[in-house]
Amino acid sequence: MGAYILRRILLVIPTLLGIMIINFALTQFVPGGPIQQVAARLEGEGDSIKAVTGSGTDAGIPEDNGYIGARGLPPEFLAQLEVEFGFARILCDEGFVGEPTIKDPACRKEMIPAVERFFIMMWNYVRLDFGESYFRSTSVVGLILEKMPVSITLGLWSTLIAYMVSIPMGIRKAVQDGSRFDVWTSGAIIAAYAIPGFLFAILLLVLFAGGSYWRIFPLRGLTSEGFAEMSFLSKVGDYLWHITLPVIASTISSFATLTLLTKNSFLDEIKKHYVMTARAKGLSERRVLYGHVFRNAMLIVIAGFPGLFISVFFGGSLIIETIFSLDGLGQLGFKSAVERDYPVIFGTLFAFGIIGLIIGIVSDLMYVWTDPRIDFERRG
């Protein structure tokens, strides 16, 4: 098993490198990079001010007041941005003394090739230097740590609730296969699976957050004002009060797959010979079900817990965060992609890529822990 784990860990390196290469290459063909974003913001501000106040002189603002957004961005400013963002570097003549700048006649700008920029970025990531956001003036690590509590809340609670409801329901559906309970619960979970998460979230807001009916839960946010001054029990209650609707909205579609997977796993095991043998020996149905069937049937369900958590943690939070005004990783990723904030995009991709690959290894270990008969080493 040790050799298998070592091979999987070594495979993380080329897999992660491939992920980064593909995504870095794709960004080279996407129009509107960070330099264009900054230019559009500044020039757009200038246009909006002119639209409201008129021309500079008519509004009492001199034309040569130095406001770059009102008359276009000077090439020196754009060149300096390219250097600061890591797209170019400054080269100076031999013997130059002092701080190199774009405006110095002895210095010039040289664009850095994309391949070289990629290897510089990866070398920084290997040293755990993820850089700073282009537009937020803070480190990428700081941004992730700031937004992570929201995503952990949605991912962890949604996964736990899905397992706590789906496993008992799936077991009962398997035991009562074909009964009224099995039929109506199947209809209910399939209907829940078919409802889009954002639509269900809006429905919850309308019904329970003061939209048109009852104001039972808060409309937005993860905590109330004055949260820091509350007692411990008040903090716990306030936290649970705020996360109830977002967690329900993000969990609703998870029940179908997990419940039906549990049911089918139990049905497959119940039909096997060892179950009939255990019953023939006079063991109670409860002893047969939970003493023999449960361990084998739950293999694929329990082992998939890390993967399900990661999928909820990374994948399904953007719309829920937007509807409930939660500032999490989903919002961060979306805004970074729109703004072309490359340090945030690639830094989070690198970090989460490593986490996802490690979770894959943990899932394999969960299989072995759940059923020692599995031997990945012999299979390899």
Side-chain angles (χ1 to χ4, degrees), residues 136 318 327 330-341:
R136 295 176 178 84
L318 172 58
D327 193 11
Q331 289 270 29
L332 175 64
F334 175 73
K335 290 179 180 177
S336 300
V338 171
E339 295 172 347
R340 307 295 193 267
D341 197 345

Side-chain angles (χ1 to χ4, degrees), residues 51-66:
V52 174
T53 64
S55 64
T57 54
D58 293 340
I61 302 174
E63 288 291 346
D64 58 347
N65 66 345

Side-chain angles (χ1 to χ4, degrees), residues 92-141:
C92 297
D93 296 337
E94 229 178 293
F96 177 81
V97 179
E99 183 70 23
T101 63
I102 294 293
K103 296 181 179 180
D104 198 301
C107 300
R108 65 189 183 279
K109 181 191 74 172
E110 179 187 70
M111 298 302 296
I112 302 177
V115 175
E116 185 177 348
R117 283 192 283 114
F118 174 78
F119 283 108
I120 292 173
M121 178 185 72
M122 293 303 297
W123 173 241
N124 290 334
Y125 288 173
V126 169
R127 296 182 295 155
L128 302 180
D129 179 9
F130 295 96
E132 290 191 356
S133 168
Y134 289 155
F135 304 102
R136 295 176 178 84
S137 299
T138 185
S139 68
V140 173
V141 175

Side-chain angles (χ1 to χ4, degrees), residues 137-160:
S137 299
T138 185
S139 68
V140 173
V141 175
L143 277 173
I144 294 175
L145 294 178
E146 179 186 345
K147 313 297 184 184
M148 191 169 286
V150 173
S151 298
I152 290 178
T153 291
L154 292 177
L156 184 60
W157 285 111
S158 297
T159 306
L160 288 176

